[in-house]
Amino acid sequence: MQAALQPFHDAHASGQAWRVAYTLSPVPPHDDPGRLYDFYRASNEHQVEGDIRYALKYSQTSKLPPKESGAWTDIFVIYWRAVGEILRAEEASNQGRMNDGQWINVYDAWKEVANAIIKYISNGALPPWTVMCMYSVGNHLRLFAMKADTQLAQVEPSVTFSTGLQDDVVTGVAKNNKLEEAARVFNKMFALCLGDRNPDINESRKWGVYCMANLLFKTYFKLKAISLSKNVVKSIEAQVDLPMFDLYPQSHKITYRYYVGILAFLQEDYANAEQHLTEAWDHCFPESTKNQELILTYLIPCRLITKHNIPSPALLAAFPHLQNIFGPLVTCIKSGDLSGFDNALLASEPEFVKRRIYLTLERGRDIALRNLLRRVFLAAGFEELKEGQAAKDRMRKTRLPIEHFATALRMGTRGEGSGQVLDDDEVECLLANMIYKGLMKGYISRDHGMVVLNKKGAFPGTGV
């Protein structure tokens, strides 16, 4: 057991919280794939507590205070039992003989590890920096909870389980008993960090606030408990003694901004959502392509609404999945192809509904309509030059018959019959809505059957 716990001694001596957390991981490191087996086989159920206590308390390399040594002893004993459950489940899975409760046993055993760490951080037996260990253990508990729920779903025919993204906003899971149970554990962890009253900020558990908030976000979004996610944000915003946000680790800040941005997005507060998602995008690590794709999934619709911007071909080309779902929409918006836009929206409807961006993207039809009407404006050409005017003084025609716009709407951009069948009143209504929304500037003269556009800035955001 001495040798098996040497990585812990080395990590603890270094004072690096994440190195200590790795020694409590249910996943062996790449450079030592047999660590879990070595640790579990270093003792047995009857002797494990004594072996671990001796290795932690009486080892020549151990410098742990008695109180902290006792806490780590208890934690590692529980961790040893959890490792046993993990190894049994993995062996059974590799041999194709999984039974109905093995991942449930793993989850239950790992929850005991999480509760032990909460207990000893709460009573002061462990130093404040061990909140990073608590977060790591909690994150693995979330994964084990989902595996356990998958196994429960296979046992209970009435329950369906989603095979979608684990951390996404939506899920097809009808019942998540273990994940809901895990959420209550994470709430204790979050409260433990948020409620720390240590006046020495360097020794405060508040440094774990954002990583624990992110863990709650991932869990609540999986459970479709969006309102509970809002409560997490409110709890943090109510705190006046948190360290400055910029001082937290980059990964904590990026993930927090991402989820807060999505919460604003779901409340249709697109300006606030864009701000948070843009900050997450600007600081996201270049190698984290999956995270970048998740951010863009919501940032693209945000900017379509707030700035009427569409993503560049180069940006979409870097993300094939986004190119597949957004590319056709972008092409139709640029060309003003309304029927093509409707077809592209329909083709990817399941994906858009799953991500909860369908209704937002549907508003992009107004941008496609603006671009179609702008084509009519450009096709009308220029006013005739008056005497003494040069070519540089040419002005575009700004008085256009409503019938021109009606024809464009009926024909679309791909020829006769590719657009919509609209009567004159409907065309006027569409034009009036575009003016009301600020996508076209001017007014309608019904008496003359004309649209009178502004001489400058007739279609804001397009340069004409």
Side-chain angles (χ1 to χ4, degrees):
M1 187 58 73
Q2 290 277 9
L5 286 175
Q6 191 59 45
F8 169 78
H9 288 301
D10 296 339
H12 194 281
S14 72
Q16 297 179 4
W18 286 112
R19 284 188 61 189
V20 176
Y22 290 148
T23 65
L24 283 170
S25 172
V27 181
H30 294 295
D31 58 348
D32 187 10
R35 176 182 290 184
L36 294 184
Y37 282 96
D38 293 340
F39 176 70
Y40 186 68
R41 292 169 180 170
S43 188
N44 57 63
E45 183 62 41
H46 301 291
Q47 298 178 317
V48 61
E49 185 173 351
D51 290 344
I52 290 177
R53 179 180 291 108
Y54 181 84
L56 292 177
K57 189 173 183 179
Y58 301 108
S59 171
Q60 295 180 352
T61 59
S62 176
K63 299 180 181 179
L64 296 173
K67 187 177 182 180
E68 185 178 351
S69 174
W72 284 118
T73 296
D74 193 18
I75 291 170
F76 271 105
V77 170
I78 298 171
Y79 171 70
W80 180 88
R81 295 187 178 118
V83 167
E85 296 292 349
I86 293 168
L87 294 177
R88 281 188 284 273
E90 289 181 348
E91 288 176 357
S93 178
N94 293 336
Q95 297 172 11
R97 51 179 182 82
M98 289 289 290
N99 62 38
D100 293 338
Q102 285 177 310
W103 284 117
I104 299 172
N105 294 338
V106 169
Y107 164 79
D108 290 337
W110 196 256
K111 188 177 70 170
E112 293 303 314
V113 178
N115 285 331
I117 292 181
I118 292 173
K119 170 185 173 182
Y120 289 113
I121 291 179
S122 180
N123 67 17
L126 296 180
W129 55 261
T130 51
V131 293
M132 294 299 105
C133 301
M134 184 171 67
Y135 167 75
S136 177
V137 168
N139 196 39
H140 288 294
L141 181 65
R142 180 179 64 91
L143 299 176
F144 288 142
M146 289 190 289
K147 287 187 176 182
D149 283 327
T150 302
Q151 204 164 57
L152 284 172
Q154 294 169 348
V155 175
E156 302 176 21
S158 61
V159 177
T160 58
F161 187 78
S162 171
T163 57
L165 294 174
Q166 292 180 344
D167 298 340
D168 209 343
V169 181
V170 292
T171 173
V173 179
K175 195 172 183 181
N176 291 287
N177 292 337
K178 296 301 181 183
L179 194 59
E180 290 174 359
E181 190 177 286
R184 292 190 283 272
V185 177
F186 304 151
N187 253 317
K188 293 179 183 177
M189 294 178 174
F190 178 66
L192 191 59
C193 294
L194 196 65
D196 188 23
R197 294 294 177 261
N198 191 332
D200 184 358
I201 197 63
N202 294 320
E203 295 294 325
S204 175
R205 296 192 298 265
K206 290 185 182 293
W207 291 107
V209 164
Y210 287 105
C211 64
M212 292 311 308
N214 294 336
L215 185 56
L216 279 172
F217 286 147
K218 293 176 182 179
T219 306
Y220 287 151
F221 274 61
K222 182 76 175 177
L223 295 171
K224 296 185 181 180
I226 307 299
S227 60
L228 295 179
S229 297
K230 297 176 188 176
N231 293 338
V232 173
V233 178
K234 290 177 182 178
S235 298
I236 291 177
E237 291 178 345
Q239 293 292 311
V240 296
D241 56 349
L242 284 176
M244 291 180 60
F245 186 72
D246 290 342
L247 298 178
Y248 283 85
Q250 194 79 297
S251 59
H252 298 190
K253 294 186 293 183
I254 292 169
T255 307
Y256 184 78
R257 290 290 191 197
Y258 166 71
Y259 280 107
V260 173
I262 295 180
L263 287 173
F265 181 93
L266 296 177
Q267 297 175 75
E268 298 187 2
D269 183 0
Y270 295 117
N272 193 28
E274 183 192 1
Q275 177 185 346
H276 287 290
L277 292 170
T278 299
E279 290 183 16
W281 169 258
D282 289 342
H283 297 93
C284 190
F285 303 115
E287 62 274 11
S288 301
T289 54
K290 179 183 176 182
N291 292 342
Q292 289 180 326
E293 182 176 305
L294 288 172
I295 294 170
L296 285 175
T297 300
Y298 300 93
L299 184 55
I300 288 173
C302 266
R303 287 188 172 169
L304 184 63
I305 297 299
T306 59
K307 293 185 171 66
H308 302 159
N309 287 349
I310 56 177
S312 67
L315 178 63
L316 290 180
F319 303 94
H321 180 64
L322 297 184
Q323 171 67 51
N324 185 47
I325 61 174
F326 287 128
L329 285 176
V330 169
T331 300
C332 295
I333 289 173
K334 289 173 67 176
S335 65
D337 183 1
L338 297 180
S339 60
F341 179 90
D342 293 338
N343 292 333
L345 196 64
L346 182 62
S348 297
E349 181 179 355
E351 181 78 8
F352 294 148
V353 171
K354 176 184 176 184
R355 306 292 180 203
R356 295 189 180 184
I357 59 177
Y358 180 86
L359 294 178
T360 305
L361 289 173
E362 195 175 35
R363 299 184 188 182
R365 196 176 194 277
D366 287 341
I367 314 302
L369 176 57
R370 178 200 66 179
N371 291 341
L372 175 61
L373 301 179
R374 175 177 174 268
R375 286 191 166 205
V376 176
F377 172 66
L378 295 176
F382 296 86
E383 300 282 0
E384 292 184 6
L385 290 175
K386 296 180 182 179
E387 186 177 351
Q389 287 184 324
K392 66 179 182 179
D393 299 321
R394 290 190 310 172
M395 297 290 292
R396 288 193 174 276
K397 293 181 179 179
T398 55
R399 296 175 61 85
L400 305 176
I402 293 176
E403 183 59 33
H404 288 189
F405 293 104
T407 301
L409 287 166
R410 291 167 185 150
M411 291 180 61
T413 59
R414 296 187 178 183
E416 189 70 39
S418 65
Q420 306 174 87
V421 179
L422 300 173
D423 59 36
D424 292 342
D425 289 340
E426 288 177 304
V427 173
E428 284 190 26
C429 183
L430 281 175
L431 294 172
N433 279 332
M434 295 299 285
I435 293 171
Y436 174 77
K437 293 175 181 178
L439 294 171
M440 184 170 74
K441 290 193 175 181
Y443 64 90
I444 299 173
S445 175
R446 298 197 69 186
D447 293 340
H448 298 89
M450 303 288 286
V451 176
V452 182
L453 297 170
N454 284 13
K455 292 184 178 181
K456 293 184 179 180
F459 292 90
T462 64
V464 298

